[in-house]
Amino acid sequence: MSETYRSGFVAIVGRPNVGKSTFMNRMIGEKIAIMSSKAQTTRNKIQGIYTDDNAQIVFVDTPGIHKPHNELDEYMDQAALSTFNEVDAILFMISGIDKKGPGDQYIMDQLKNVKKPVYLVVNKIDAIHPDDLLPMIEQYRHELDFKGVYPISALEGNNVPEMLKELEQTLPEGPQYYPEDQLTDHPEYFVVGELIREKILELTHEEVPHSVAVVVERMKDRVNGKLQIEANIIVERDGQKRIIIGQKGSIIKEIGIRSRREIEALLGEKVNLKLWVKIQKNWRDNNQYLREFGYNKKRL
């Protein structure tokens, strides 16, 4: 253990689907942020806590920043942008397999006003040719004075330990904010709801994933040694409800099976999971429903 203990908060920002949640889960060593190939998977700021003998880093996984189309999108953008001045360092993550786009430029413009150290993190280098890496990096470096540049693979772990070591040295001296065995600041019911939503993303397509919210209503009683969990799946239209239920209940059954498997692994105990699908028209544009479903701007 070093004589100086360091601690602080590090935001992970970037446009949708660049691999922020995959990176978060690798750093923590457990699945606390859901993953999907679909954009806008992460909706809330999720804190993952990394602790070793020398430092504690609280990583803040933020929603992908994008042009808002409804109140939920507005909430997600505010959730991401509000972290800029609340943290000790920022990881600006881009995808090595995608060209620089308007979304990347928008985030760059916001970062120009930030006084904290900003690192450029080029993810998914396992999927690109090394010769393509330097020209991509130069597109960004001429606009912003980055504290450092790290090409990584969040999936395979390339260069992640080296980046972690520099982050520890960048953070200020400070206390250990959380117990060493705590992995996230979110309560278990939040993570459980997110795991259920991830399975819906896996099994549905088109407009359904963006229209879904999951609210865990019950998660405490045990019957015959199994934790009883009840959750509502909220959609906006009857057609979406039919898709999630599936023919003869096939889809919601599979959602339940896959969700229960991961929830049991997370909690370390047997679970009885009950799911209901409910319609709440246009909930993404209704501030009351947004608050009820856990998207409260006042908490940002």
Side-chain angles (χ1 to χ4, degrees):
M1 180 184 291
S2 66
E3 294 182 3
T4 302
Y5 195 84
R6 298 181 180 274
S7 61
F9 294 77
V10 176
I12 312 166
V13 302
R15 66 181 183 178
N17 208 27
V18 296
K20 299 184 296 297
S21 296
T22 304
F23 172 78
M24 165 79 90
N25 292 335
R26 171 166 288 279
M27 297 311 305
I28 307 309
E30 292 280 354
K31 185 173 182 177
I32 62 167
I34 67 172
M35 299 177 293
S36 169
S37 60
K38 299 178 175 67
Q40 304 175 34
T41 300
T42 301
R43 289 176 174 171
N44 295 80
K45 289 188 289 188
I46 299 174
Q47 292 188 174
I49 304 160
Y50 170 87
T51 306
D52 65 17
D53 290 340
N54 303 312
Q56 184 171 82
I57 306 176
V58 183
F59 289 98
V60 186
D61 181 20
T62 62
I65 299 172
H66 62 289
K67 184 178 179 180
H69 297 290
N70 50 52
E71 285 292 323
L72 176 61
D73 288 353
E74 186 72 34
Y75 167 87
M76 291 160 62
D77 268 12
Q78 286 190 27
L81 295 173
S82 68
T83 63
F84 284 7
N85 295 309
E86 300 172 352
V87 295
D88 300 288
I90 296 173
L91 304 180
F92 171 37
M93 186 172 289
I94 63 173
S95 169
I97 61 175
D98 297 321
K99 293 181 179 179
K100 181 181 178 185
D104 297 307
Q105 186 62 52
Y106 174 70
I107 299 169
M108 287 271 286
D109 291 340
Q110 305 302 311
L111 289 172
K112 289 174 183 177
N113 301 316
V114 172
K115 301 296 191 290
K116 308 294 173 63
V118 179
Y119 293 86
L120 177 65
V121 181
V122 185
N123 192 21
K124 306 183 183 181
I125 62 168
D126 52 298
I128 64 172
H129 194 280
D131 292 345
D132 297 330
L133 191 56
L134 188 58
M136 171 177 289
I137 291 172
E138 289 305 316
Q139 283 187 299
Y140 292 87
R141 289 179 88 167
H142 83 276
E143 281 196 60
L144 202 60
D145 184 21
F146 293 104
K147 173 78 172 175
V149 178
Y150 281 91
I152 71 162
S153 168
L155 193 63
E156 298 185 357
N158 308 46
N159 298 330
V160 171
E162 292 81 2
M163 184 175 69
L164 182 63
K165 185 176 180 180
E166 179 166 341
L167 279 177
E168 288 189 351
Q169 295 169 349
T170 299
L171 294 178
E173 293 184 30
Q176 183 176 304
Y177 293 105
Y178 298 95
E180 61 183 29
D181 60 348
Q182 185 170 341
L183 301 180
T184 180
D185 68 324
H186 277 291
E188 288 179 340
Y189 71 81
F190 172 85
V191 181
V192 166
E194 287 289 271
L195 289 176
I196 296 169
R197 190 164 65 86
E198 180 187 61
K199 302 313 164 191
I200 297 169
L201 294 177
E202 289 178 2
L203 292 164
T204 61
H205 306 285
E206 299 172 0
E207 85 284 358
V208 174
H210 303 300
S211 304
V212 168
V214 176
V215 180
V216 176
E217 299 286 357
R218 178 189 179 200
M219 187 178 158
K220 55 180 182 179
D221 300 327
R222 286 168 177 80
V223 177
N224 297 326
K226 291 186 177 182
L227 177 64
Q228 305 298 301
I229 300 178
E230 298 178 1
N232 291 329
I233 299 170
I234 313 296
V235 294
E236 292 185 315
R237 295 194 293 276
D238 186 63
Q240 295 165 348
K241 180 177 180 178
R242 288 196 298 269
I243 290 172
I244 287 181
I245 292 174
Q247 188 174 9
K248 296 182 179 179
S250 58
I251 300 299
I252 195 167
K253 180 180 179 181
E254 185 63 24
I255 291 169
I257 292 171
R258 296 188 186 188
S259 299
R260 188 177 66 251
R261 187 181 302 137
E262 293 213 10
I263 293 168
E264 289 181 342
L266 173 74
L267 301 180
E269 64 176 306
K270 292 294 183 180
V271 162
N272 181 32
L273 177 62
K274 295 180 180 178
L275 301 174
W276 288 270
V277 186
K278 297 187 176 182
I279 299 171
Q280 206 62 263
K281 292 184 178 180
N282 301 318
W283 69 264
R284 288 179 295 170
D285 269 318
N286 187 304
N287 284 321
Q288 178 183 339
Y289 291 138
L290 287 172
R291 288 193 298 271
E292 288 180 9
F293 301 158
Y295 309 111
N296 190 347
K297 290 181 181 179
K298 291 183 179 180
R299 297 177 186 166
L300 299 179

